[in-house]
Amino acid sequence: MKTPAVDFIRRNTAVGRPPHVPEISLHLADEAHDLWLKTEEELEAIGLPPPFWAFAWAGGQGLARYVLDHPETARARRVLDFATGSGLVAIAARMAGAGEVTACDIDPWSGAALGLNAALNAVRVDYRQANMIGTDEGWDVVLAGDVFYDADLAKAIVPWFSGLAERGATVLVGDPGRAYRPNDRLRALATYAVPVTRALEDAEVKRTTVWRFPAS
């Protein structure tokens, strides 16, 4: 459906393939696009929150890679992709054979980006613009890429993830070493060297690990 958000995303991004997950196409912004150059003040002026949905972050790339390489993780299961951003991880879960995928994010622009990206990859993903922390709709698998960058967010999601794992959900996170990752609560499943954009990460490659929240 054509909306102002969809039009903006099409004008300010180009279709590309994340280097660590080349099976998936996304609308991405890079140095060639005006969106990349806008300051936080300019984004606020046009009513645009920080456009996390316009980039393939290292944690999401690592987690999407893991899901595609281990399709049994998602196959025929009900999956939640928390803080979906571009929808990269949700799309990977669908491509791996998930029976149902719900992607959620509090950013209204994320829904427009996800819709465009899901269409590019010919998959269906349900979207919720909602803060779903603390909820439990019986998902078999909960996925989250790059969510430990903020202390308050980490404080909220760690007990939620732990509770989901305790009742039997598979809870997986992709993280490239963010400051608030709860290392003492996680079990490493796989580690990747993920190519990233230096302007975003101050590095060309980020060592990214996929972790599982174990039941206590």
Side-chain angles (χ1 to χ4, degrees):
M1 182 173 64
K2 192 172 182 179
T3 67
V6 166
D7 288 343
F8 179 90
I9 292 169
R10 285 177 170 157
R11 289 196 313 270
N12 289 277
T13 64
V15 175
R17 294 177 180 271
H20 204 61
V21 199
E23 300 95 323
I24 295 176
S25 297
L26 300 173
H27 287 267
L28 299 171
D30 61 22
E31 295 93 332
H33 297 97
D34 288 343
L35 180 60
W36 181 274
L37 302 174
K38 290 186 186 297
T39 65
E40 186 174 346
E41 290 76 17
E42 288 173 323
L43 293 173
E44 286 184 2
I46 62 174
L48 180 65
F52 298 122
W53 47 264
F55 308 103
W57 299 91
Q61 287 197 61
L63 185 54
R65 179 77 272 149
Y66 183 86
V67 169
L68 290 176
D69 289 348
H70 302 83
E72 68 279 3
T73 301
R75 186 182 296 127
R77 295 184 173 185
R78 294 182 64 220
V79 176
L80 174 70
D81 177 27
F82 172 71
T84 192
S86 68
L88 170 60
V89 175
I91 291 166
R94 223 14 172 158
M95 292 174 68
E100 175 186 312
V101 179
T102 299
C104 72
D105 205 295
I106 60 173
D107 183 351
W109 293 76
S110 176
L114 171 64
L116 288 168
N117 292 333
L120 279 176
N121 295 278
V123 298
R124 175 179 174 177
V125 176
D126 296 324
Y127 177 72
R128 305 259 194 98
Q129 184 193 332
N131 180 353
M132 300 188 72
I133 296 173
T135 66
D136 186 353
E137 297 184 6
W139 309 288
D140 303 304
V141 180
V142 176
L143 305 172
D146 239 322
V147 293
F148 293 117
Y149 58 87
D150 177 83
D152 290 338
L153 179 59
K155 185 177 180 181
I157 62 178
V158 166
W160 177 44
F161 284 173
S162 297
L164 292 169
E166 186 66 29
R167 69 94 170 134
T170 298
V171 181
L172 304 181
V173 299
D175 186 89
R178 301 303 183 201
Y180 303 102
R181 186 182 70 207
N183 296 318
D184 59 331
R185 305 289 294 273
L186 302 172
R187 180 165 66 88
L189 299 180
T191 299
Y192 305 101
V194 179
V196 291
T197 302
R198 178 172 289 278
L200 285 177
E201 298 280 11
D202 294 326
E204 294 181 354
V205 175
K206 292 289 285 187
R207 186 174 184 271
T208 300
T209 300
V210 174
W211 306 85
R212 180 169 182 169
F213 266 75
S216 58

